[in-house]
Amino acid sequence: METKIKLVQGDITKEQVDAIVNAANSQLIGGLGVDGAIRRAGGSEIDRACDEIRARQGGCPTGEAVITTGGNLPAKYVIHTVGPIWRGGNSGESELLASCYRESLSLALDNRVKTIAFPSISTGIYGYPIDKAAAVALSAVKEFLMQGDGIGEVRFVLFDDSTYRGYEQALSALEGQT
Ligand code: ADP
């Protein structure tokens, strides 16, 4: 089971997978961080697809996910999920963050995605502490993968050293538990 989860350090826009996940905002309006990088690399098709979703359903609530084309990216799809803003930990943040990973994987399954790459959702501008976010992210993904075998590989593509190290530690803690 663990072999299905891989950690890599790098730029998610370069990943050769069926779908990459974006840490979006609830308005689905282009932002900074990984959102800006994905939209720059993927081009205006992604912006247009997000505009259409906003017109249809008013955006995307925190903890949920929507899917668009990958535009010019190597990935066929971008799954946009809205992570919680860190407010100290007693505002349902961990449940909402776990929901982001579950909802993204469930949309991936619906679209026959076999390989998917996640960034570290909520740990940039939204301020979620890396160690806590990594533990939530990895256990949510692991639990989802245990329920079925539609997804072949989940990669976490971590941009900087400290984020990568946080996920490495959380993964070995999780593996130690089993
Ligand atoms: P949020 O608003 O959910 O906190 P951010 O985009 O601010 O989202 O940050 C989420 C994570 O994505 C951070 O760890 C940030 O360093 C990382 N990140 C930024 N650019 C990229 C990229 N091109 N590929 C992968 N991760 C990235």
Side-chain angles (χ1 to χ4, degrees):
M1 179 56 57
E2 276 70 30
T3 56
K4 279 190 165 186
I5 299 180
K6 295 216 168 87
L7 308 183
V8 297
Q9 193 173 349
D11 175 355
I12 200 166
T13 65
K14 307 269 199 290
E15 286 295 309
Q16 309 269 349
V17 284
D18 297 332
I20 65 170
V21 178
N22 181 19
N25 54 62
S26 57
Q27 296 303 304
L28 300 174
I29 290 172
L32 304 165
V34 72
D35 191 352
I38 289 173
R39 287 167 184 262
R40 274 194 303 279
S44 57
E45 254 192 285
I46 297 178
D47 293 325
R48 270 203 304 278
C50 285
D51 292 347
E52 277 167 26
I53 295 169
R54 189 176 338 104
R56 200 166 62 229
Q57 63 182 58
C60 178
T62 304
E64 296 184 21
V66 297
I67 189 165
T68 68
T69 172
N72 301 327
L73 293 167
K76 185 169 179 201
Y77 300 110
V78 177
I79 294 173
H80 306 260
T81 190
V82 182
I85 297 171
W86 179 254
R87 295 196 163 89
N90 294 317
S91 304
E93 292 94 332
S94 62
E95 191 39 53
L96 288 166
L97 186 61
S99 170
C100 287
Y101 288 93
R102 281 197 303 270
E103 295 293 317
S104 298
L105 288 167
S106 156
L107 256 187
L109 271 186
D110 292 347
N111 289 275
R112 298 198 170 79
V113 163
K114 301 278 182 217
T115 53
I116 182 168
F118 283 95
S120 176
I121 293 160
S122 283
T123 64
I125 295 151
Y126 283 2
Y128 209 121
I130 307 271
D131 55 337
K132 292 187 170 63
V136 169
L138 289 163
S139 46
V141 168
K142 190 177 170 189
E143 248 172 58
F144 189 95
L145 293 178
M146 282 183 332
Q147 287 160 19
D149 56 3
I151 305 277
E153 187 182 318
V154 178
R155 258 179 239 173
F156 281 87
V157 182
L158 309 158
F159 205 47
D160 51 86
D161 285 349
S162 58
T163 307
Y164 181 81
R165 278 199 302 275
Y167 276 72
E168 233 178 10
Q169 277 167 15
L171 186 60
S172 33
L174 195 65
E175 283 169 349
Q177 277 170 24
T178 54

